[in-house]
Amino acid sequence: MKQLFATTARGFEELLKSELTELGAQDAKVAQGGVRYWADDETLYRTLLWSRLSSRILLPIVQAKVFSDLDLYSAVVGVNWLDYFDEKVHFFVDFNGTNQEIRHTQFGAMRVKDGIVDYFARHGRARPNVDKEQPDIRIHAYLNRDDVVLSLDLSGDALHMRGYREDTGKAPLRETLAAAIVLRSGWQRGTPLVDPMCGSGTLLIEAAQMEAQIAPQLYRLHWGFDFWQGHNQAAWEKVKEEALALAEAEKQRENLPHFYGFDLDHRVLQKAKQNAKNAGVAHLMQWQQGDVAAIKNPSPNVAGTVICNPPYGERLGTTPALIALYSVFGQRLKQQFAGWNASIFSGEPSLLDCLRLRSHRQFKAKNGPLDCVQKNYQIAERAEQSVVENALEFDRTSSVTSEVAVDFANRLQKNIKKIEKWAKQQGLDAYRLYDADLPEYNLAVDRYADHIVVQEYAAPKNIDENKARQRLLDAVNATLQVTGIETNKLILKVRQKQKGTNQYEKLANNGEYFYVNEYGAKLWVNLTDYLDTGLFLDHRLTRKMLGEMAQGKDFLNLFAYTGSATVHAALGKAKSTTTVDMSNTYLNWAEQNLLLNDIEGKQHKLIQADCLQWLAKCDRQFDLIFVDPPTFSNSKRMEDSWDVQRDHIKLMTNLKRILRPNGTIVFSNNKRGFKIDFAKLEELGLSAVEISHKTLPLDFERNKQIHNCWLLQKDKNN
């Protein structure tokens, strides 16, 4: 009998203990990082061949106290290594752990290596070579405080490497983790198993190998015991022949396919098919390309289990549409899989809340560095057995069928009927559908062509954070149903009170641009990379007005952002346009907006500069000036901080200097409670007329204070 140690991921120790015991292990006990057990030679090989949960199986050689690197060296050199391997092998030391004396694992590995090769030299043997890539023997060293354990790794390559996976999707599960998820799911062998987002098929393949009695390491070619002096070839061959015979006998049974894999990506499905073939379970599988939002139960007459590892933010990058994805998934489970069990594994428990299902069991697990949770559900039988095939397609002519956020869904539907008809008449692709109409749903919903952007306003401090988040999830769910958009075309943004230049900071780097139409102009938008989209929808009428005023005039757009106002002025036959902004990113965006509308020529100038510094030095004259400065800015690239209430008179002083007689300044800002200083303007010789109400479009009529807008002109005697 030999004492062995099987390592596993944290949280799977008890599961592994049960598995090893079933395989014949004696006196199995859970320890930190794995399970200790005793085994004869056949059981040793059986656990190596059959364990689906072990990461490695180690044969402990020596345990010692280590208070210095000399203690470590002495412990190593004192082992009779010739009992384990000879000088002809290539070996590698895998060192884990540190203490106050051995602070780096590389140093620890080097001292172990030194002890081994010196042992062979002292016994008159050649020094064995080290091979990091394909060693014949792996020595595992684990240092915990002052205790070190040296072991022979009988596995070789880690046991999660089954050998069937040629290629994977972007974020694959380790096979050992997948096996644990299957074992915890409650799935019963012989019953249907469905993975609606199967990726490279790992969950289904692990389950199918369990049912087909295929040992997970049956086809492994190289083992850590191949060059071990204690290797019992006869016992190994017996165990392997038994496994081959069992797999072959099971294969002779005429089992119908009852493992079903779905995925939207046809390329990853091809990988899944090949992986299943490599694993010897292709005959048990059925694969189909499709969106989870349209999945149908492939086995309506026999209840089974839905198992899934859907994408989550930390794994594939934060994707707001995940909220919509999980919401739709939960609905589809209830509509198509009534009476089934479901087991969902995720790195974001809040996303699982979007399923709107109540779990009866849950397990914690680690997926690499991520803390994850697996929740098991029993999906209730439907009261009505008739299933509407297109239940997810929302009928706008009927009442709202959302299970959650009914008040919000009804209001959104009402707004859509009113606003979309108006927008079509106006020639608009981008407009607001909802703007915090109901206090409990403090968010905005905007349409950009075939995309929807949901912008959450930061909740007041007295609102519970979890309650606010749940309302947001409910609102996203309802928005998806009411608008009927595809899940990957819903974008979610969290809005807060901005400080300095935060509104211009990058959120992502997707580079996904498309254009929208606005009163005959084409304008590029980007819904994912920045907090703002490149187009301020509330200023739509202001831009239209500028286009109507611009004919034959020299136009200046100061604090130009992406130059959308410049496009309207140029299309309105302005004599010239000058566009000034401090950001190269937005100035390039403005250039692309001009090119999109076939606006070219030397008369259209784009200038990257601090707007206030440029204005102070400007010696040109303009007939029409549009200035829409930020409320506040303390950008490091600006000479001074900026406050629109404090500094607007200084701004007007400089603008008056470059304004031609009979010229017009259109001055706008979005500071709530802004008060223009009429007395100071009068001293400057400027008159101002507020036109805020005239520049407020239909879709923003609820928010009277979203921006302020003024027309300023020189007094006639100036």
Side-chain angles (χ1 to χ4, degrees), residues 20 167 183 185 202 450 455 479 538 572 619 646 707:
L20 293 173
D167 198 2
L183 291 171
S185 70
T202 310
D450 60 347
Q455 302 175 12
T479 301
D538 61 298
D619 56 4
R646 181 190 69 196
H707 68 243

Side-chain angles (χ1 to χ4, degrees), residues 72-125:
L72 177 61
Y73 175 84
S74 298
V76 175
V77 82
V79 173
N80 188 8
W81 290 106
L82 282 167
D83 287 346
Y84 297 95
F85 57 92
D86 62 30
E87 70 275 16
K88 297 176 184 179
V89 307
H90 293 187
F91 76 98
F92 175 70
V93 178
D94 182 16
F95 196 97
N96 293 277
T98 59
N99 64 14
Q100 290 187 342
E101 295 299 324
I102 299 173
R103 300 181 182 180
H104 301 284
T105 56
Q106 285 184 336
F107 176 66
M110 182 188 71
R111 295 303 282 154
V112 174
K113 181 266 296 181
D114 290 344
I116 292 173
V117 297
D118 287 353
Y119 164 85
F120 281 92
R122 291 180 184 182
H123 286 75
R125 302 295 184 97

Side-chain angles (χ1 to χ4, degrees), residues 26 59-60 89 97 182 187 198 214 267 316 318 478 507 616 633 667:
Q26 301 293 312
L59 175 68
V89 307
V182 171
W187 167 70
C198 67
I214 297 174
R267 294 164 299 184
L316 294 177
T318 302
L507 302 178
S633 179
F667 168 49

Side-chain angles (χ1 to χ4, degrees), residues 33-266:
V35 176
R36 300 186 190 283
Y37 66 101
W38 291 84
D40 58 23
D41 285 353
E42 287 188 15
T43 304
L44 180 155
Y45 293 120
R46 193 169 290 113
T47 55
L48 280 163
L49 193 64
W50 282 95
S51 177
R52 301 182 189 278
L53 302 173
S54 298
S55 299
R56 295 184 181 276
I57 293 182
L58 309 174
L59 175 68
I61 295 172
V62 66
Q63 182 171 352
K65 290 288 184 181
V66 173
F67 301 103
S68 68
D69 67 299
L70 184 59
D71 290 336
L72 177 61
Y73 175 84
S74 298
V76 175
V77 82
V79 173
N80 188 8
W81 290 106
L82 282 167
D83 287 346
Y84 297 95
F85 57 92
D86 62 30
E87 70 275 16
K88 297 176 184 179
V89 307
H90 293 187
F91 76 98
F92 175 70
V93 178
D94 182 16
F95 196 97
N96 293 277
T98 59
N99 64 14
Q100 290 187 342
E101 295 299 324
I102 299 173
R103 300 181 182 180
H104 301 284
T105 56
Q106 285 184 336
F107 176 66
M110 182 188 71
R111 295 303 282 154
V112 174
K113 181 266 296 181
D114 290 344
I116 292 173
V117 297
D118 287 353
Y119 164 85
F120 281 92
R122 291 180 184 182
H123 286 75
R125 302 295 184 97
R127 297 162 66 94
N129 292 321
V130 173
D131 185 343
K132 294 182 179 180
E133 301 301 324
Q134 291 183 316
D136 302 318
I137 290 287
R138 287 178 179 268
I139 301 300
H140 185 276
Y142 177 63
L143 177 63
N144 181 26
R145 298 181 180 176
D146 298 328
D147 293 299
V148 70
V149 178
L150 297 176
S151 303
L152 177 66
D153 185 350
L154 299 176
S155 316
D157 289 333
L159 293 175
H160 78 270
M161 301 172 69
R162 315 286 207 222
Y164 62 73
R165 204 154 67 173
E166 291 185 354
D167 198 2
T168 63
K170 292 182 180 179
L173 283 176
R174 280 195 170 187
E175 292 86 337
T176 44
L177 174 57
I181 293 171
V182 171
L183 291 171
R184 284 176 163 178
S185 70
W187 167 70
Q188 299 295 315
R189 298 181 188 186
T191 64
L193 188 66
V194 176
D195 188 343
M197 290 173 266
C198 67
S200 57
T202 310
L203 285 168
L204 293 174
I205 291 170
E206 288 294 317
Q209 282 200 330
M210 292 178 194
E211 181 165 308
Q213 294 290 303
I214 297 174
Q217 305 299 336
L218 187 59
Y219 303 110
R220 177 175 283 230
L221 298 177
H222 303 289
W223 289 90
F225 57 71
D226 287 338
F227 294 86
W228 171 41
Q229 298 286 42
H231 174 43
N232 185 336
Q233 183 66 22
W236 164 240
E237 289 179 357
K238 180 183 177 184
V239 169
K240 188 169 183 180
E241 286 172 5
E242 286 175 354
L244 286 167
L246 186 60
E248 184 60 32
E250 194 66 31
K251 190 175 182 179
Q252 297 308 313
R253 294 189 183 185
E254 295 184 3
N255 289 323
L256 294 175
H258 54 277
F259 295 87
Y260 304 93
F262 299 82
D263 204 278
L264 194 56
D265 188 339
H266 68 92

Side-chain angles (χ1 to χ4, degrees), residues 4 34 109 118 214 271 279 306 320 344 359 365 386 412 464 491 510 594 619 681 688 695 706:
L4 301 164
D118 287 353
I214 297 174
K271 297 173 185 176
V306 175
I344 316 299
S359 65
S386 58
L412 180 60
D464 178 72
I491 314 299
N510 296 329
L594 292 172
D619 56 4
L681 287 176
T695 61
I706 194 164

Side-chain angles (χ1 to χ4, degrees), residues 97 351 354 428 625:
L351 285 174
C354 298
L428 304 175
I625 299 173

